[in-house]
Amino acid sequence: YRVNLNKSTLRLNSARDTVLTERNFNSYAEDPAAAAQSFQLRRSFMQVDSQLAISEAVTRKFNTAYSALDNVVNLVDNTREGSAMSAVMTGATATTGSGRTALGQELLQLADSIIETMNCKYGDHFVFSGADGLEVTFTWQGTGENRQLMYRGIPVDAATGSADCNTLDYLSTEESRFVDIGIGLEEDENGDLIETSAFDSVLQGINALGYGEDADGDPKNIASIIYRMGYILSECDEETGEWKVDANGVSQQEEFMRLMDKLNASATSLKKDHVHLTTKADYLAKNQNLLEDTAYTLNEQIIEIEQCDLADAITSFSWAQYCYNAALKMGNSILSESLMDYIR
């Protein structure tokens, strides 16, 4: 009787635990096959969950970058009224001094607006500062004609072949930060990362706005071009609108018109980078959805293995409790008769 009572007690406790935890098993020994399968699924789920968190952060960063770059593209779109390009077209034909100098101030402010936009942040990190997100992306140094744009402390309009331009070349093409967003993450036989199996989360502001000098010694950076054009216009005679003449006797109108053509080319390059960023942002969004679907499927599989059918568990618990009570009742009858026999 004592053995059977203990068995009934164990069955009751087990059934009670199943109802309380809603789990099919609470230890590996209870169901080794299911426990092993559950371990594999949970390990996969943890990996996907980590990838999902990384992907979400990168996606939000790229969405922030997209919004910022979209704003800059709109500023330099000559089809939009009030954009930088339409202002330049006005400046090319304006003859009054006050009109040109006022436009010059607008272009100077526009150059500042572009840089402020490109200095956007996601969290505590500057979005367009490459792998060093803690350093401010763009800054201005100097004033007037000697004012120059800096990228992470390096002159943006560095001459071709200079040490600064070599550094900018490296930042533009070589600097990277690869993250695991669930596209494979593999290493080659030497233990080096296979770059196509990860995602490069670096965004370089100089790739969007341009850097270095061209063959004429003019800046390639669109903000630098706009600033220089604004400065030239602001130097025009406020009354007559005459263009300033340099030390060689050459009117700055020639430089202005040359820069206007280069602004068109720079704006086209900016739009291409914007389209490229749009493609990456769309890819990240689709990958995010795929990871979410994978995580959901894994979670469903885990629940299917580990979680019990609560209705069945309650039924089993009720039956175990009935059996236990019946055993107790039988025991009470036996113990009562034995005790009376002993007293007699």
Side-chain angles (χ1 to χ4, degrees):
Y1 167 77
R2 187 170 58 250
V3 172
N4 290 330
L5 180 61
N6 288 335
K7 288 181 179 180
S8 296
T9 303
L10 292 174
R11 283 193 292 268
L12 176 61
N13 291 335
S14 177
R16 181 186 293 110
D17 289 341
T18 300
V19 172
L20 293 177
T21 63
E22 300 184 17
R23 291 177 56 87
N24 285 322
F25 56 89
N26 291 297
S27 68
Y28 182 84
E30 291 181 25
D31 193 337
Q37 187 177 3
S38 175
F39 172 78
Q40 295 292 338
L41 290 172
R42 282 191 172 274
R43 185 171 64 175
S44 298
F45 180 83
M46 290 177 63
Q47 182 180 20
V48 172
D49 189 55
S50 174
Q51 294 167 344
L52 192 57
I54 295 173
S55 175
E56 184 176 1
V58 175
T59 300
R60 289 181 177 178
K61 172 186 173 181
F62 271 70
N63 286 339
T64 301
Y66 170 82
S67 298
L69 209 57
D70 187 63
N71 184 47
V72 175
V73 167
N74 289 332
L75 289 174
V76 299
D77 184 1
N78 63 347
T79 63
R80 296 180 69 253
E81 184 179 355
S83 70
M85 291 297 289
S86 62
V88 169
M89 295 301 180
T90 302
T93 57
T95 56
T96 62
S98 59
R100 284 183 178 166
T101 54
L103 177 61
Q105 293 301 317
E106 290 180 9
L107 291 180
L108 294 178
Q109 294 175 8
L110 179 60
D112 287 340
S113 297
I114 291 174
I115 295 308
E116 289 172 3
T117 302
M118 293 299 291
N119 283 342
C120 62
K121 298 175 72 175
Y122 171 66
D124 296 328
H125 294 76
F126 291 95
V127 172
F128 288 104
S129 284
D132 187 5
L134 296 178
E135 185 174 0
V136 62
T137 309
F138 290 105
T139 55
W140 293 102
Q141 282 192 0
T143 58
E145 188 174 11
N146 296 321
R147 194 184 194 200
Q148 62 177 338
L149 185 62
M150 313 293 288
Y151 177 73
R152 291 166 59 179
I154 305 168
V156 169
D157 306 322
T160 303
S162 68
D164 288 333
C165 194
N166 291 337
T167 302
L168 292 174
D169 285 337
Y170 171 82
L171 295 177
S172 172
T173 59
E174 300 296 329
E175 188 179 54
S176 58
R177 176 175 291 171
F178 290 97
V179 294
D180 180 15
I181 60 170
I183 56 177
L185 196 65
E186 295 183 9
E187 296 179 346
D188 58 22
E189 61 275 7
N190 298 320
D192 297 324
L193 175 69
I194 300 176
E195 295 185 358
T196 55
S197 68
F199 184 83
D200 188 2
S201 63
V202 161
L203 287 170
Q204 300 285 7
I206 51 175
N207 289 340
L209 300 189
Y211 67 95
E213 291 183 347
D214 61 15
D216 297 324
D218 294 325
K220 294 181 181 179
N221 183 279
I222 193 169
S224 296
I225 293 174
I226 292 175
Y227 177 82
R228 179 59 186 168
M229 294 178 73
Y231 180 79
I232 292 174
L233 288 176
S234 66
E235 288 288 285
C236 290
D237 190 285
E238 292 187 3
E239 294 183 0
T240 65
E242 290 294 325
W243 300 86
K244 185 177 180 180
V245 178
D246 62 20
N248 298 321
V250 179
S251 172
Q252 288 188 338
Q253 182 181 13
E254 180 181 341
E255 181 184 358
F256 181 87
M257 300 304 293
R258 186 177 72 245
L259 289 174
M260 187 169 69
D261 291 336
K262 293 179 179 180
L263 178 58
N264 282 318
S266 185
T268 300
S269 177
L270 174 63
K271 290 179 181 178
K272 289 181 179 179
D273 194 79
H274 182 243
V275 171
H276 181 62
L277 183 60
T278 302
T279 302
K280 282 192 171 183
D282 290 341
Y283 169 78
L284 286 169
K286 292 178 181 177
N287 184 74
Q288 180 83 2
N289 291 334
L290 179 61
L291 286 174
E292 290 174 352
D293 290 342
T294 302
Y296 177 81
T297 300
L298 287 171
N299 188 57
E300 287 292 304
Q301 290 178 308
I302 292 171
I303 291 175
E304 185 178 344
I305 292 174
E306 296 184 356
Q307 187 168 305
C308 68
D309 185 311
L310 193 56
D312 290 343
I314 293 174
T315 300
S316 298
F317 171 69
S318 299
W319 176 250
Q321 191 171 37
Y322 172 79
C323 294
Y324 175 74
N325 291 335
L328 285 180
K329 186 175 181 181
M330 179 66 69
N332 288 335
S333 299
I334 297 174
L335 289 175
S336 177
E337 292 179 1
S338 301
L339 181 60
M340 292 303 295
D341 289 342
Y342 176 76
I343 294 176
R344 289 174 184 172

